[in-house]
Amino acid sequence: VKANDPFAICAFGTSCYYEGDYESAHRYYTKSAALGDAQSHYQLSCLYREGKGVDKDEKKEIHHLEKAAIGGDPNASHNLGCVEGNNGRVD
């Protein structure tokens, strides 16, 4: 991807995801997230929650939800609130 554009890299990840190539989606999302893309952090949280292309891992799911929420992703903020509520942390 030209000039390491995080949005383009995320788009490649999404294309791989919809083709069922979750391992490649994970690779693209990880690269894009490292470049600061909040949407990629959110997508990684979904992969870890669903166990698609990776082992299910709640700690990694929450890590990526936090990064995405801090980056301004509203879906991540919602999901993070749900996870925290389900875990009894409602303060």
Side-chain angles (χ1 to χ4, degrees):
V1 175
K2 192 173 184 177
N4 283 327
D5 178 359
F7 302 109
I9 296 168
C10 182
F12 277 114
T14 300
S15 178
C16 292
Y17 181 89
Y18 286 120
E19 292 172 3
D21 184 357
Y22 304 119
E23 290 83 8
S24 293
H26 180 266
R27 187 173 61 251
Y28 282 116
Y29 290 147
T30 299
K31 183 173 183 177
S32 182
L35 294 169
D37 183 54
Q39 176 65 31
S40 293
H41 278 292
Y42 175 71
Q43 296 298 342
L44 284 167
S45 76
C46 294
L47 291 177
Y48 283 111
R49 181 184 68 242
E50 298 166 2
K52 291 186 174 180
V54 294
D55 291 331
K56 286 186 177 186
D57 189 323
E58 187 177 12
K59 287 183 181 182
K60 288 181 181 179
E61 174 195 357
I62 292 171
H63 167 78
H64 288 291
L65 281 175
E66 289 173 343
K67 291 284 192 175
I70 289 168
D73 187 287
N75 293 319
S77 296
H78 171 80
N79 286 7
L80 184 59
C82 291
V83 169
E84 294 295 323
N86 289 339
N87 289 330
R89 294 186 291 269
V90 293
D91 296 346

